[in-house]
Amino acid sequence: MGESRSFAEGFKGFWEERLSFLENYTRFTKRDTPLPSWSSSDVEEFIASDPVHGPTLKTAREAATFGVAGAALGALSTAAFAWKYSRSPHGAALSFLGGGVFGWTFGQEVANHTLQLYKLDTMAAQVKFMEWWERKSQ
């Protein structure tokens, strides 16, 4: 019994360590009342008002378009290829899902290198935006 408990505690500790970055967002996600929705103009206002984190957030938002474009391209091309050669609806649907995931991942990697996201702390910029939005919305 003690051996399985120590295994479970070790397993839990392992994943807590790997996912510790999620604690940055807990004060925004585990609130009594959720933050109100924001618009693109609110994000643009933050980008203009914060000279340190604003450009980083703008770059991160641009990177999201790479992911979306990659997902659309990957999903449609793999689904079309699967449909052309198999005429199987479930095969085309699975190819659509798989291609979307692969395309999104590939698009994010292209954005990471093209926009040099590896040099930026995008998580800090997102947290600063959430703090700014929290102050502004109250």
Side-chain angles (χ1 to χ4, degrees), residues 56-72 100 103-112 115 117 122 126:
T56 302
L57 186 64
K58 183 177 182 180
T59 305
R61 286 173 57 92
E62 290 170 8
T65 59
F66 279 77
V68 170
W104 175 78
T105 304
F106 190 72
Q108 287 297 109
E109 283 301 313
V110 169
N112 190 29
L115 302 174
L117 292 177
T122 56
Q126 292 170 355

Side-chain angles (χ1 to χ4, degrees), residues 21-102:
F21 66 91
L22 294 174
E23 292 174 11
N24 294 334
Y25 298 106
T26 55
R27 67 179 188 181
F28 305 115
T29 57
K30 295 186 178 181
R31 295 169 42 103
D32 292 334
T33 58
L35 285 172
S37 298
W38 56 82
S39 65
S40 293
S41 62
D42 295 320
V43 176
E44 293 299 326
E45 183 181 341
F46 171 78
I47 290 170
S49 69
D50 190 330
V52 175
H53 298 290
T56 302
L57 186 64
K58 183 177 182 180
T59 305
R61 286 173 57 92
E62 290 170 8
T65 59
F66 279 77
V68 170
L73 184 64
L76 293 174
S77 63
T78 56
F81 187 82
W83 182 255
K84 179 180 179 182
Y85 290 106
S86 72
R87 298 285 184 205
S88 167
H90 65 281
L94 288 172
S95 294
F96 182 83
L97 292 173
V101 170
F102 176 78

